[in-house]
């Protein structure tokens, strides 16, 4: 089964570096980011996990939990964490899933459902598609999906920006324009009529075109 935005994120139980979790229970009533890695002790992912450890307080401030995944065993994750701290200066404090039976990778379409075997003997190349980011809302729905090639480090500042946009647009009937950053002007959602917009935005809006209604970001 393929996954799309607004599908319910598949639930699962798994061993992590912080013990066994049930994913939906672990998410609770906040947001969550699941980000996966092809293999432990790989160079690009080492930099990524270190950076996520550095900026985790920003996600926490937004009521968003982080959880990593690799198909390697949890014990490997713990040893890898020491390398991450040594080379990147930050120790991951978020949990890392040990997906040795490939169950979660298959649930999230990162590997084919009929992929045989376990993590044993697999390489980063055979796990190339296990390099995704899923943003999941408090309703347990998938809000964003991104998959990167192995040789390109992910931009987690962009994930933080997108989270800011999604959290704001979930509360207010607005959308964010290209390259939007917090504090900049936003766009009244197309689903809002002009009559309703007058009630929601009594200060008015700029409208270079009838379908493009620009307002200050709601507080």
């Amino acid at each position: 089964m393929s996954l799309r935005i607004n599908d319910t994120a598949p639930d699962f139980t798994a061993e992590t570096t912080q013990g066994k979790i049930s994913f939906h229970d672990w998410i609770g009533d906040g947001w969550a980011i699941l980000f996966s890695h092809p293999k432990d002790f790989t160079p690009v992912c080492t930099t990524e996990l270190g950076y996520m450890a550095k900026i985790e307080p920003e996600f926490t401030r937004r009521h968003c939990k982080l959880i990593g995944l690799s198909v390697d065993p949890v014990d490997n994750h713990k040893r890898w964490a020491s390398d991450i701290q040594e080379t990147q200066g930050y120790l991951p404090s978020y949990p890392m899933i040990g997906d040795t039976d490939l169950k979660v990778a298959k649930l999230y379409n990162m590997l084919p459902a009929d992929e045989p075997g376990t993590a044993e003997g697999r390489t980063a190349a055979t796990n190339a598609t296990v390099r995704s980011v899923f943003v999941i809302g408090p309703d347990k729905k998938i809000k964003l999906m991104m998959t990167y090639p192995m040789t390109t480090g992910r931009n987690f500042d962009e994930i933080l920006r997108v989270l800011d946009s999604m959290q704001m647009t979930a509360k207010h009937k607005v959308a964010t324009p290209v390259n939007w950053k917090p504090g900049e002007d936003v766009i009244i959602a197309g689903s809002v009529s002009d009559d309703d917009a007058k009630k929601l935005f009594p200060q008015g809006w700029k409208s270079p075109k009838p379908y493009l209604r620009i307002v200050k970001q709601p507080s």
Side-chain angles (χ1 to χ4, degrees):
M1 182 184 73
S2 61
L3 291 176
R4 297 177 177 85
I5 286 177
N6 289 326
D7 284 349
T8 298
D11 197 12
F12 58 85
T13 57
E15 294 296 337
T16 79
T17 51
Q18 296 180 12
K20 191 170 186 176
I21 66 159
S22 176
F23 189 49
H24 282 193
D25 289 343
W26 177 84
I27 292 173
D29 61 358
W31 294 68
I33 293 175
L34 168 65
F35 62 114
S36 60
H37 309 84
K39 192 79 178 163
D40 291 358
F41 305 104
T42 51
V44 176
C45 294
T46 297
T47 66
E48 292 179 335
L49 267 71
Y51 190 73
M52 279 300 245
K54 177 182 178 181
I55 66 171
E56 184 178 16
E58 289 297 320
F59 289 99
T60 301
R61 194 161 62 83
R62 292 160 172 83
H63 201 31
C64 180
K65 294 180 177 179
L66 305 179
I67 189 165
L69 177 146
S70 169
V71 301
D72 292 313
V74 166
D75 286 348
N76 283 18
H77 296 348
K78 291 177 178 177
R79 291 192 293 111
W80 188 21
S82 297
D83 286 2
I84 293 165
Q85 182 179 31
E86 179 184 343
T87 61
Q88 308 303 309
Y90 294 89
L91 179 69
S93 60
Y94 47 81
M96 281 283 292
I97 296 166
D99 191 28
T100 54
D101 58 2
L102 314 180
K103 179 179 74 173
V104 181
K106 292 177 182 180
L107 269 179
Y108 280 77
N109 293 325
M110 295 182 276
L111 289 172
D114 58 356
E115 184 80 9
T118 65
E120 179 115 17
R122 296 183 69 88
T123 67
T126 56
N127 295 340
T129 50
V130 188
R131 195 144 197 283
S132 298
V133 179
F134 297 87
V135 180
I136 300 161
D139 57 1
K140 311 303 184 292
K141 304 284 188 183
I142 296 172
K143 306 300 183 183
L144 173 143
M145 299 184 293
M146 301 175 76
T147 301
Y148 283 69
M150 286 195 300
T151 52
T152 301
R154 286 170 280 194
N155 185 337
F156 288 119
D157 289 336
E158 165 64 4
I159 303 301
L160 196 62
R161 185 192 77 89
V162 172
L163 180 63
D164 281 335
S165 171
M166 290 190 294
Q167 290 187 337
M168 179 182 63
T169 58
K171 293 180 181 178
H172 304 281
K173 294 184 177 182
V174 296
T176 54
V178 62
N179 295 335
W180 172 87
K181 296 182 182 66
E184 296 180 348
D185 289 350
V186 298
I187 298 166
I188 300 173
S191 59
V192 178
S193 69
D194 279 352
D195 286 342
D196 287 340
K198 289 173 185 175
K199 299 170 188 172
L200 292 169
F201 306 98
Q203 74 277 17
W205 57 83
K206 294 180 289 183
S207 188
K209 292 290 181 181
Y211 55 83
L212 182 57
R213 299 167 295 176
I214 303 166
V215 293
K216 296 291 184 184
Q217 176 186 316
S219 58

